[in-house]
Amino acid sequence: MNRCFSIAATLWLAALACVAPTPSRAQEVRNTQGSTFLRLDAVDVSNAAEHGQFVFFASFLDRGRKPVTALDPKAWVASFDGNPIEAELKVARLFDQGQNEGISLVVVLQNDHVAKESFLDPARKGVKKLLSTLRQVDKSAVVLFRDTTDKSGTLSPAHNETSSWMDTIQDGGLTPILYESIEQALSLFPAEFSAIGPNRAVLVIADGADQRDNQLGEQKDQLQKVVSLATKRRVHVHAVAAPSDLGVDGETTEKLRKVVDQTGGTWRKATTAAELENYLSHVEQEIAGQHVVKLQTTDFDGDKDVAFKLEVKQDGSPYPSNAVISLVPKRKSNLWRNVGIGAGVAVGLVLLFFVGRLVVQLVRNRQPAEVEATGPTMRACDQCTNQIPADWKLCQYCEALPHKGRLRVRSVGELNGRVWFIKESMTNIGSADGNSIIILDKSVSKRHAGIKVQDNRFELADFGSTNGVLVNGQRVTKQFLKSGDLLSIGAVEMEFTLKT
C-alpha cells in the first residue's frame, strides 16, 4: 500500500483507537525463551578488591517477559567459575524505594507522516506519562526519527525537560531511517559500567518501515551493526509495533522482531492506539524489574577473569542464569588476610614435619609414595560458557550441540589445535566481546570477518579488517567456502571443515 495515500486506513485506525481493547486484541508479547527464565545482565566488581563486595543485576522474567519477584535470599545461589559461594546474600528489586541504582532509558519514536496520521499522538502522550514515572536516579532521552533524526540530548535525570522538548519538534517527513535511529539511541549509552549502571534499555515505537526495505544486504549489515553495539553497551532493545496504514502484521515489523530477539528485549504489537497508550503506562515496571543481589566474600582469586552465574529456586524449580565473565581485581592486603597467611604457614610447617617423617619411613621401607592426583585447571568455554579443562583445544560440550561446521587452528602458537564451531546462520569473528568466535590475537581486528550460512552454503566475508582475510593464500573480500579450505584471519590460519 502506498504510504502517502493511506487516508482510509488512517481513519479506520483512528476509529479503533476510541474503542477499549478486548481480550481478542490484547497486546502480543514475543519471548524467544518460551518460559520463565533468569537472565544475568551484569556483575559489578568495582568494590571487590577493597571490600569484597560483588553486586549481581539479574532479570527474573516469565513467559511474557514480565518480572517475577523472588526476594528470599535463601532461594538464590551465586557461583564463581562453577563453584557455589557460601556467603550471606542480600536481595532487593532495583525499582524498590531505597535502591540507588537507576534505569537508563532511551525512547525511539517514529514521527514521519504515517506516524502522524496513525499513532504519533497517543504514542507521544504515552511516552510523556512514562517519563513522568521515572525518578531522579533514573536517566532518559528521546530520539524522534523520520528521514532525519532529532535527539533530546544526552541521558539526563531532567525527565520533564525531555518531555517538553518533544513538543518543539516538527512532525512529518518521508520514509523513516529505523536502524540508524536505534544505532543513535545506543550510542547515548557509555561503554563504562560505572558511568550509569547496568539497567539500560531502548524502547522503540514504530511500524517497522525503513528506507532499506528493498535492500536486503544493507538491512542485514545494519542489523548486525545494531546488535553488536547493543551487546557491547549491554543494552536490551524493547519494541512496540505501532498501528499504521501498513498494519502491525506486515513484513516491516520483522526488522523490529530481529533486533528484539537478538538483544534480549520485549516484543509487543498494538493493534489500536488505545492498546499502545495502555502498554506505555506501565512499561517502566517491566523494564526496571531487575533483582539486585549483593554478596560479601573474600573467597575469590583476584586479577583474573571469572565466570559468574546465579541460580534461583521458585516453586521448587531451579532457574540457572547465563554466565557473565568479568575481570576481578586483585584483593588488597589486610590484617585478617595476613593473620590467615601466618596461620597457614604455621600449619604448613607442621604438615611439612609430618610429611618429612612419612617420607623417611617410606624410604626405609623402600615403598613408593602415593601422590594424590589433583583436578585439572578449569576455564569457561567462550562459545557455550560450560566449565572445561583449560588444556582442552576442542570443547566436547560444543561438539555435542548442533553445529554446521568447524574451524581448527593450524598456525603455530598457543592457539594451535583450537577448534571453534559454526552454529548459527551468521557467525561473527573478531577479537572483541560480542563476536560468536573470539580470537585474542593482536593481528585480528575487533570485528574482523563473518561466515553466513544459507542453503548449506558457507560465505566468508571480510568486515573491513586491518590485516585482511585469505582463503588458500589468496586475499578475498567475499568467498564461498568448501571443506578443507585454509582461512587466514589476520595471522591466525584455520582449516574449515563441514560437519560429517
Side-chain angles (χ1 to χ4, degrees):
M1 182 183 295
N2 192 317
R3 292 170 58 83
C4 299
F5 299 96
S6 57
I7 298 177
T10 302
L11 292 175
W12 178 74
L13 287 167
L16 285 178
C18 300
V19 180
T22 63
S24 62
R25 290 187 280 114
Q27 300 160 334
E28 176 188 345
V29 181
R30 188 168 192 256
N31 171 21
T32 57
Q33 298 289 343
S35 60
T36 303
F37 71 103
L38 179 65
R39 182 184 66 210
L40 181 54
D41 296 317
V43 181
D44 183 4
V45 297
S46 58
N47 288 320
E50 187 170 357
H51 302 293
Q53 184 182 76
F54 296 82
V55 184
F56 299 80
F57 298 89
S59 297
F60 191 29
L61 307 173
D62 67 11
R63 163 187 307 276
R65 291 290 174 102
K66 292 184 179 180
V68 178
T69 301
L71 298 181
D72 182 5
K74 296 180 181 179
W76 293 79
V77 176
S79 63
F80 296 3
D81 286 334
N83 300 313
I85 300 299
E86 296 292 335
E88 182 180 356
L89 301 178
K90 295 181 180 179
V91 183
R93 291 187 306 173
L94 183 74
F95 211 62
D96 286 341
Q97 188 174 0
Q99 289 297 313
N100 295 323
E101 298 87 357
I103 64 173
S104 298
L105 173 66
V106 179
V107 178
V108 178
L109 176 59
Q110 179 181 338
N111 75 328
D112 65 343
H113 66 92
V114 173
K116 183 177 181 180
E117 295 170 356
S118 303
F119 61 85
L120 184 58
D121 286 342
R124 197 194 304 267
K125 183 178 178 181
V127 171
K128 288 186 174 183
K129 186 179 295 185
L130 168 60
L131 294 176
S132 69
T133 64
L134 300 181
R135 308 161 298 169
Q136 280 299 108
V137 295
D138 302 323
K139 293 180 174 62
S140 66
V142 174
V143 175
L144 297 176
F145 73 97
R146 43 193 188 277
D147 50 341
T148 59
T149 58
D150 297 290
K151 292 188 290 188
S152 62
T154 59
L155 281 162
S156 165
H159 311 302
N160 290 336
E161 294 180 11
T162 302
S163 180
S164 300
W165 169 85
M166 295 175 63
D167 295 327
T168 66
I169 302 302
Q170 183 178 0
D171 305 329
L174 302 176
T175 305
I177 48 175
L178 175 64
Y179 279 143
E180 286 91 337
S181 303
I182 299 176
E183 184 181 347
Q184 288 192 33
L186 292 169
S187 67
L188 294 176
F189 294 88
E192 297 79 11
F193 177 89
S194 59
I196 59 171
N199 200 317
R200 309 174 175 200
V202 167
L203 175 62
V204 183
I205 308 169
D207 63 11
D210 189 277
Q211 287 183 352
R212 291 188 173 88
D213 281 343
N214 297 319
Q215 302 171 15
L216 186 59
E218 291 190 21
Q219 282 186 26
K220 291 183 178 180
D221 290 342
Q222 193 70 18
L223 173 63
Q224 291 296 327
K225 190 175 183 181
V226 168
V227 172
S228 176
L229 183 58
T231 301
K232 291 178 181 178
R233 301 296 171 91
R234 300 177 182 177
V235 180
H236 302 299
V237 179
H238 307 265
V240 184
S244 75
D245 62 314
L246 294 179
V248 296
D249 292 319
E251 294 181 0
T252 57
T253 59
E254 286 304 310
K255 285 183 287 298
L256 286 174
R257 286 176 181 264
K258 291 176 181 178
V259 174
V260 167
D261 288 350
Q262 297 184 43
T263 62
T266 301
W267 163 262
R268 291 180 181 270
K269 69 178 182 182
T271 57
T272 68
E275 285 182 357
L276 172 61
E277 188 175 344
N278 178 60
Y279 167 65
L280 293 176
S281 67
H282 62 266
V283 68
E284 84 285 352
Q285 289 290 345
E286 184 170 314
I287 293 176
Q290 278 184 329
H291 287 75
V292 182
V293 181
K294 295 185 178 180
L295 167 67
Q296 196 87 22
T297 182
T298 57
D299 185 18
F300 67 94
D301 295 326
D303 201 22
K304 58 175 288 189
D305 284 327
V306 174
F308 296 96
K309 282 189 177 182
L310 283 178
E311 182 176 288
V312 62
K313 286 188 177 180
Q314 185 83 339
D315 298 328
S317 299
Y319 295 95
S321 76
N322 55 296
V324 170
I325 299 176
S326 295
L327 177 65
V328 178
K330 187 176 181 180
R331 286 184 295 173
K332 293 186 177 180
S333 299
N334 53 57
L335 176 62
W336 290 110
R337 185 185 177 201
N338 293 335
V339 170
I341 292 174
V345 171
V347 172
L349 291 174
V350 173
L351 290 175
L352 182 61
F353 171 76
F354 286 105
V355 169
R357 291 189 61 182
L358 178 61
V359 170
V360 171
Q361 184 66 33
L362 290 173
V363 170
R364 287 177 178 174
N365 296 334
R366 296 185 178 182
Q367 294 178 353
E370 295 182 0
V371 180
E372 183 180 354
T374 59
T377 303
M378 305 296 286
R379 67 175 177 85
C381 174
D382 54 13
Q383 279 196 288
C384 70
T385 73
N386 281 299
Q387 290 297 311
I388 61 175
D391 59 352
W392 275 16
K393 295 293 186 178
L394 183 149
C395 176
Q396 295 180 9
Y397 296 106
C398 287
E399 187 177 33
L401 293 173
H403 60 274
K404 302 175 175 64
R406 64 181 67 187
L407 297 172
R408 181 184 294 272
V409 177
R410 294 299 189 189
S411 53
V412 297
E414 184 178 343
L415 294 175
N416 180 260
R418 185 72 175 272
V419 176
W420 287 285
F421 293 87
I422 301 171
K423 304 178 181 179
E424 304 166 348
S425 58
M426 185 65 197
T427 299
N428 291 334
I429 305 172
S431 59
D433 290 342
N435 288 291
S436 307
I437 296 177
I438 302 173
I439 303 178
L440 299 179
D441 188 274
K442 62 182 180 181
S443 66
V444 179
S445 300
K446 291 183 178 180
R447 188 170 178 268
H448 199 109
I451 298 177
K452 180 175 68 175
V453 183
Q454 187 174 9
D455 298 330
N456 206 31
R457 302 183 71 192
F458 294 74
E459 184 180 26
L460 173 68
D462 188 347
F463 289 165
S465 62
T466 301
N467 295 317
V469 175
L470 279 69
V471 177
N472 299 324
Q474 299 295 320
R475 185 160 183 166
V476 299
T477 302
K478 286 188 177 182
Q479 174 76 43
F480 284 104
L481 301 175
K482 62 181 182 298
S483 190
D485 280 346
L486 293 179
L487 284 59
S488 293
I489 305 297
V492 180
E493 184 178 85
M494 298 177 285
E495 180 182 5
F496 166 76
T497 57
L498 292 171
K499 180 180 180 182
T500 57

